[in-house]
Amino acid sequence: MSIWTVLWIAWIAAFALLEGLALRDKRPGDTLSEFTWRLFRIRDRRPTALTWVGRVLLVIGGVWLTGHLAFGWWSF
């Protein structure tokens, strides 16, 4: 097992632990989803142009990540 495999497993385990603690805590804004929604002002009724730019970049990044991880597309 390479050091990279160990580090990626540790990173995933750390994320799972943090998210699990946040889900158990139930305070607003503690999960990754809630943090992302606040960062990109998803619930804002009057988003600015800059907010929309951020949201579009978030969607593009999500599409890229899904294609890259699931299908091996867009590798550099």
Side-chain angles (χ1 to χ4, degrees):
M1 186 178 305
S2 76
I3 186 65
W4 291 108
T5 302
V6 171
L7 291 172
W8 282 115
I9 290 171
W11 185 84
I12 292 166
F15 171 77
L17 176 66
L18 288 171
E19 190 71 8
L21 290 172
L23 287 168
R24 185 173 171 204
D25 187 42
K26 299 200 185 293
R27 280 189 242 174
D30 54 0
T31 64
L32 179 60
S33 296
E34 292 168 338
F35 175 79
T36 303
W37 296 337
R38 188 176 72 236
L39 182 66
F40 290 96
R41 299 178 181 170
I42 298 302
R43 297 212 161 96
D44 193 346
R45 295 200 181 262
R46 287 197 240 167
T48 65
L50 187 58
T51 303
W52 278 108
V53 169
R55 291 176 182 181
V56 168
L57 291 175
L58 179 65
V59 169
I60 290 170
V63 169
W64 173 83
L65 186 61
T66 301
H68 179 70
L69 293 177
F71 305 106
W73 299 339
W74 307 301
S75 296
F76 299 107

